[in-house]
Amino acid sequence: MSQTKPAPVSAPVEALRLDRQLCFALYGAANRVTRLYRPLLDALGLTYPQYLAMLVLWEQSPRTVGALGEALDLDSSTLTPLLKRLEAGGLIARARDPQDERRVIITLTDRGQALRDQAAKIPEKILCQLDLPLEDLGTLRDRLKTLAV
């Protein structure tokens, strides 16, 4: 049996070049930023998704699971295991809303609130590692937000 060779690609289609893809640039940047956060978050005992949830709760606590999910753009099936781990770690408490038993309210514990002081140093450390002017980072963040809408 003879095997047929794949036809050689004569010339790449410019629009299909990997280095031209927005998705790949975002993917690579997101991976790098997440890797920069990892050792800082490990020291706090948090994963990156847990850190994001805590950021939202440090802005406002108590909050409903629905409001937290909306802020993070996560559905409850993704959020519930994350919240269970934060609760097991003593950082949050979950309770049914006495006015509406269908709603679950999340509240920071004293330990969860205290972790905020340690986490306050993280943004500056990340900025130093990225080695980009603050104005450029702000512009980049704002432009990326327009893609997420």
Side-chain angles (χ1 to χ4, degrees):
M1 268 194 185
S2 67
Q3 292 190 5
T4 58
K5 287 189 199 177
V9 176
S10 56
V13 176
E14 193 63 24
L16 295 179
R17 289 176 46 112
L18 183 63
D19 65 351
R20 305 262 312 162
Q21 304 304 307
L22 173 64
C23 61
F24 187 66
L26 289 170
Y27 174 76
N31 279 339
R32 175 166 184 241
V33 171
T34 302
R35 282 192 310 271
L36 292 176
Y37 274 92
R38 186 168 292 124
L40 303 173
L41 297 178
D42 283 349
L44 300 180
L46 295 174
T47 64
Y48 186 71
Q50 290 171 342
Y51 173 67
L52 297 178
M54 292 299 290
L55 287 172
V56 173
L57 292 168
W58 288 326
E59 288 177 21
Q60 181 187 340
S61 172
R63 256 184 208 247
T64 64
V65 171
L68 181 63
E70 189 174 312
L72 295 171
D73 196 22
L74 294 174
D75 61 37
S76 63
S77 64
T78 302
L79 201 50
T80 299
L82 184 151
L83 294 173
K84 283 183 178 181
R85 288 190 298 275
L86 289 173
E87 187 174 38
L91 300 176
I92 65 163
R94 294 181 301 157
R96 294 266 172 210
D97 184 342
Q99 261 76 52
D100 183 350
E101 292 271 327
R102 296 171 295 178
R103 293 176 4 149
V104 175
I105 298 175
I106 306 160
T107 308
L108 286 170
T109 62
D110 290 343
R111 184 173 175 196
Q113 188 64 43
L115 192 61
R116 180 172 136 173
D117 293 337
Q118 295 174 50
K121 299 171 183 84
I122 290 176
E124 183 180 348
K125 289 179 181 181
I126 293 297
L127 288 175
C128 289
Q129 290 182 49
L130 289 174
D131 194 32
L132 290 171
L134 190 57
E135 183 179 304
D136 289 354
L137 285 170
T139 301
L140 176 61
R141 180 201 58 231
D142 293 343
R143 301 233 14 217
L144 288 171
K145 283 182 179 181
T146 66
L147 292 177
V149 179

